[in-house]
Amino acid sequence: MPPAGKADAGLTLRTATSADLTELAALDARCFAEGVSYSPDVLSFFVSGEKSRTLLAMRDGRIAGFAAAVIRSARGAHIVTIEVDPSERRKGVGTTLLMALESWAQNVSDRIFLEVDADNVPAISLYEKLDYLLAKEFEEDGQNRLAMWKALG
């Protein structure tokens, strides 16, 4: 779970279901610009895919954030997104979701990886605090990105 004092007691986690897709799409649209946000089909895959897991952080009956990961057999677990409602940022929601996905992934893989925009300093700082290492820098769709990974277990 997150470091002491980072998340308040009102936060709970649960696995996403297809009934959550409309709310997930709305949160995704608040977090990412059109063209970057996920399509409903992709969100549905994250929620119902055999090798995927989508967790919701709930506060007062609403989604404060969500995170999705998929297992890529040869490469390990891949965190595809961590999204936190702007009103919930800096309250430990992202940390809680990330650590919960790590716990899930260690049952099926020995490593986990993610990609992040190179200018997303708050996210990179969080990943470094949780022992993620830089694997490579690359460019995607004109954006500088970082691939990071962590050994599990």
Side-chain angles (χ1 to χ4, degrees):
M1 297 323 310
K6 291 297 282 179
D8 65 58
L11 192 66
T12 59
L13 294 180
R14 72 171 174 83
T15 301
T17 69
S18 59
D20 298 310
L21 287 171
T22 300
E23 288 181 79
L24 292 181
L27 177 55
D28 188 50
R30 287 193 304 276
C31 291
F32 294 103
E34 188 174 334
V36 178
S37 59
Y38 290 108
S39 72
D41 288 342
V42 172
L43 289 171
S44 180
F45 168 77
F46 294 157
V47 169
S48 60
E50 184 179 313
K51 293 186 177 188
S52 65
R53 177 78 181 244
T54 301
L55 296 175
L56 305 180
M58 304 294 295
R59 185 182 322 279
D60 299 326
R62 66 177 194 81
I63 299 173
F66 76 95
V70 296
I71 300 301
R72 309 217 189 243
S73 57
R75 296 175 64 192
H78 177 201
I79 296 174
V80 292
T81 193
I82 299 174
E83 303 186 25
V84 177
D85 188 276
S87 68
E88 292 286 344
R89 293 184 180 155
R90 311 289 303 160
K91 296 180 182 178
V93 176
T95 302
T96 300
L97 288 164
L98 181 61
M99 294 178 77
L101 282 179
E102 289 176 3
S103 293
W104 167 76
Q106 74 182 16
N107 294 316
V108 292
S109 182
D110 62 352
R111 64 183 171 245
I112 194 165
F113 68 99
L114 54 82
E115 296 166 355
V116 61
D117 288 343
D119 62 357
N120 190 342
V121 175
I124 294 166
S125 176
L126 169 63
Y127 303 145
E128 289 174 339
K129 285 178 187 172
L130 295 176
D131 299 323
Y132 282 76
L133 302 171
L134 178 65
K136 69 177 181 176
E137 296 180 39
F138 64 101
E139 187 175 310
E140 181 177 68
D141 298 327
Q143 184 75 14
N144 291 328
R145 308 224 350 120
L146 306 177
M148 301 180 80
W149 74 281
K150 178 180 180 175
L152 297 173

